Amino acid sequence: MPVLPGAEPFRHEGGEVGVLLCHGFTGSPQSLRPWAEYLAGRGLTVSLPLLPGHGTRWQDMQLTGWQDWYAEVDRALRELLDRCEQVFVFGLSMGGALTLRLAAKHGDSISGIVLVNPANKVHDPLAVTLPVTKHFIRSTPGIASDIAKPGSEEVGYDRVPTRAAHSLKKFLQLVDTELPQVTQPMLLLHSPQDHVVPPVDSARVLARVSSTDVTETLLEQSYHVATLDHDAERIFADSYAFIGRLAESVGREGAQAGG
């Protein structure tokens, strides 16, 4: 199937500091493209892959599960680790959960992580029935474009495939058990008004990780897809400053740019 316009993966060859960006469930790289381009414009090497089953049509997602999505970001991370001296991982929603698992598994090879409205649990009351209903209900209404900013749209599916939703549920349960293995410096930005992932998910992540260098920021003007919302520029600037604090070469360049 052809990729939806705007949903293509993005790659930029920059300096010795790399950033992997992970998009969300039923979404696409489009939701993170402005963030990726902001970082690329500041000389970083940037990788924003398209997760399997995403960016085409929701029926394609029925054939994929969390192992496929995780394998893709793990591959992209290893590529960056081979190429760069320091690597950071950023994620939105399910992309935040993917980021947390990469952090738990790869340890000190990841210099820091940035999470935006990270998902920790499937909260839909019907989720408990997914092991059964996935066999006779193929999809449920979509979750894309939870954005406060008028005119801002997310390229994502208008339906949620139930098989994939069941796989997501199992994945989030797995990641929750691995959170104590996360030790990297962390910047977590979340929206008090989020109609997809409630703030309790961010609170649980903050409570369970072992990271000691943690910054929490509230995105008061945005809904779930905050990277396309009113607070987008703040996310971009704060995440770049976060890298600058932890990566000496970027910190020097940032200081020179600021000065």
Side-chain angles (χ1 to χ4, degrees):
M1 283 298 295
V3 173
L4 295 167
E8 306 84 3
F10 175 82
R11 172 84 188 204
H12 175 77
E13 294 296 332
E16 292 303 316
V17 175
V19 182
L20 168 65
L21 295 104
C22 307
H23 71 75
F25 182 72
T26 73
S28 74
Q30 177 262 354
S31 62
L32 301 182
R33 184 67 179 260
W35 197 4
E37 291 177 344
Y38 176 97
L39 298 167
R42 280 150 185 79
L44 303 176
T45 293
V46 179
S47 176
L48 171 51
L50 172 64
L51 300 180
H54 292 71
T56 52
R57 54 185 197 139
W58 68 262
Q59 290 90 340
D60 295 333
M61 249 189 110
Q62 291 282 43
L63 308 174
T64 67
W66 74 260
Q67 295 91 341
D68 304 298
W69 314 325
Y70 180 74
E72 178 60 18
V73 294
D74 188 72
R75 180 203 61 76
L77 174 63
R78 291 175 191 274
E79 214 173 62
L80 282 177
L81 290 171
D82 286 342
R83 158 79 175 75
C84 299
E85 287 178 5
Q86 279 184 275
V87 175
F88 295 80
V89 185
F90 297 178
L92 166 70
S93 193
M94 179 185 77
L98 291 167
T99 298
L100 287 162
R101 182 154 215 257
L102 289 172
K105 294 297 181 186
H106 287 269
D108 291 343
S109 61
I110 296 174
S111 294
I113 60 176
V114 177
L115 310 173
V116 178
N117 293 321
N120 176 259
K121 183 181 179 182
V122 175
H123 292 271
D124 188 328
L126 297 177
V128 70
T129 69
L130 279 171
V132 176
T133 56
K134 70 178 182 180
H135 296 294
F136 54 89
I137 298 175
R138 295 191 68 208
S139 69
T140 57
I143 55 172
S145 279
D146 185 36
I147 302 170
K149 186 177 181 180
S152 187
E153 292 287 327
E154 180 186 16
V155 175
Y157 295 149
D158 60 0
R159 304 292 297 176
V160 173
T162 49
R163 282 182 183 273
H166 185 226
S167 186
L168 171 66
K169 182 181 181 226
K170 290 193 284 189
F171 176 62
L172 295 180
Q173 289 169 338
L174 171 66
V175 173
D176 189 65
T177 68
E178 296 174 341
L179 290 179
Q181 299 170 41
V182 175
T183 58
Q184 294 87 347
M186 175 192 299
L187 170 62
L188 191 154
L189 309 103
H190 65 99
S191 307
Q193 286 192 80
D194 185 327
H195 307 97
V196 178
V197 173
V200 67
D201 282 28
S202 288
R204 183 160 177 87
V205 169
L206 289 167
R208 286 181 57 77
V209 296
S210 299
S211 306
T212 54
D213 179 348
V214 177
T215 304
E216 178 186 9
T217 300
L218 293 183
L219 304 172
E220 302 277 4
Q221 308 302 316
S222 301
Y223 294 162
H224 183 61
V225 191
T227 48
L228 297 177
D229 217 326
H230 293 295
D231 292 298
E233 289 296 329
R234 180 178 188 182
I235 294 168
F236 306 165
D238 284 7
S239 64
Y240 182 65
F242 174 78
I243 292 174
R245 181 165 65 79
L246 297 166
E248 203 173 290
S249 60
V250 173
R252 281 199 305 271
E253 291 166 14
Q256 287 165 2

